Amino acid sequence: QNSQKRPNSTPETPRPKRSLSSRSPYALFSPSSFSPSVTPSQKYSARSSRGEVVASFGSIQGPSWSGHGGRGCTLELFGPPENNLTKAYKFMFQKALDVREALLWRIEELGDALKSHHHLEDFTSVSLPAQELVTVLGQIGCDANGKLNAKSVVLEGDREHSSGGQIPLDLSELREYSLFPGQVVALEGTNSTGRRMVVSKLYEV
């Protein structure tokens, strides 16, 4: 008989919001009441253990240092004069063609080192279709704006054999590899269509 019915809440008759009672934890506590009161620590400048040796290992043999003033030194350029920078130079103000030439020269130089170190045959073009295994030379690139992953790896071929052409790489047959953009590598694999190379072997510097 004394049971009370719960009021129905509808959009027409919304349930009135209950006011916060005195037993609510939000009314009793505040950020200051949650923080315990502790004794403030001493200031860093007023510490008494400054310069105290806490632990030492081994014997210290005190070396004696003495300077001989009045002695000067002369600087000499190392290497041939044409390879030294002797005048004002603007960093990263090179022309695009000069940067391209330096990168292509780097690929050719490292390609010769790869060929002699791994005893490789002559390199072929990255865009030439071939059913048999071929060896190509180039540098690793990324065809996406994000980070380099197994699906976005491309090989930018050298100028001598590939005329700077690009080809996507299929790395599914490699057991392990570690690549980064700009890395000069020699790859062995099949390029049956001339549009994607299935890599079977990786040669690094």
Side-chain angles (χ1 to χ4, degrees), residues 95-171:
K95 296 181 180 179
L97 291 178
D98 296 339
V99 175
R100 182 62 177 167
E101 286 295 326
L103 292 176
L104 292 175
W105 174 81
R106 174 174 168 268
I107 295 176
E108 294 176 1
E109 185 182 29
L110 294 177
D112 294 338
L114 285 169
K115 184 184 295 185
S116 61
H117 180 71
H118 297 284
H119 307 287
L120 302 176
E121 299 294 334
D122 195 15
F123 300 113
T124 60
S125 174
V126 298
S127 58
L128 182 64
Q131 301 292 336
E132 66 278 359
L133 290 176
V134 293
T135 305
V136 296
L137 173 68
Q139 66 176 357
I140 298 297
C142 181
D143 65 347
N145 293 329
K147 296 182 179 180
L148 184 68
N149 54 62
K151 301 296 183 181
S152 65
V153 181
V154 297
L155 183 72
E156 302 175 6
D158 62 336
R159 177 173 53 183
E160 180 181 357
H161 305 93
S162 305
S163 301
Q166 292 186 358
I167 186 171
L169 299 180
D170 184 358
L171 306 176

Side-chain angles (χ1 to χ4, degrees), residues 4-182:
Q4 298 179 357
K5 295 183 179 180
R6 297 180 60 184
N8 295 327
S9 177
T10 60
E12 292 77 10
T13 59
R15 183 181 301 177
K17 295 182 179 180
R18 293 180 296 179
S19 60
L20 294 175
S21 61
S22 60
R23 295 183 180 181
S24 174
Y26 300 101
L28 293 177
F29 297 101
S30 63
S32 60
S33 64
F34 277 110
S35 301
S37 59
V38 295
T39 305
S41 59
Q42 292 181 346
K43 293 184 178 180
Y44 182 75
S45 59
R47 66 191 186 280
S48 60
S49 60
R50 180 171 52 186
E52 179 183 355
V53 178
V54 179
S56 60
F57 178 77
S59 59
I60 301 176
Q61 299 177 359
S64 59
W65 298 91
S66 60
H68 303 282
R71 294 186 179 181
C73 61
T74 57
L75 299 178
E76 296 181 0
L77 295 178
F78 181 77
E82 60 271 11
N83 294 339
N84 295 314
L85 188 64
T86 57
K87 59 183 180 179
Y89 178 75
K90 291 184 178 181
F91 180 63
M92 296 185 67
F93 274 76
Q94 300 92 342
K95 296 181 180 179
L97 291 178
D98 296 339
V99 175
R100 182 62 177 167
E101 286 295 326
L103 292 176
L104 292 175
W105 174 81
R106 174 174 168 268
I107 295 176
E108 294 176 1
E109 185 182 29
L110 294 177
D112 294 338
L114 285 169
K115 184 184 295 185
S116 61
H117 180 71
H118 297 284
H119 307 287
L120 302 176
E121 299 294 334
D122 195 15
F123 300 113
T124 60
S125 174
V126 298
S127 58
L128 182 64
Q131 301 292 336
E132 66 278 359
L133 290 176
V134 293
T135 305
V136 296
L137 173 68
Q139 66 176 357
I140 298 297
C142 181
D143 65 347
N145 293 329
K147 296 182 179 180
L148 184 68
N149 54 62
K151 301 296 183 181
S152 65
V153 181
V154 297
L155 183 72
E156 302 175 6
D158 62 336
R159 177 173 53 183
E160 180 181 357
H161 305 93
S162 305
S163 301
Q166 292 186 358
I167 186 171
L169 299 180
D170 184 358
L171 306 176
S172 58
E173 294 189 4
L174 291 179
R175 297 182 60 182
E176 58 181 4
Y177 56 88
S178 177
L179 302 174
F180 59 88

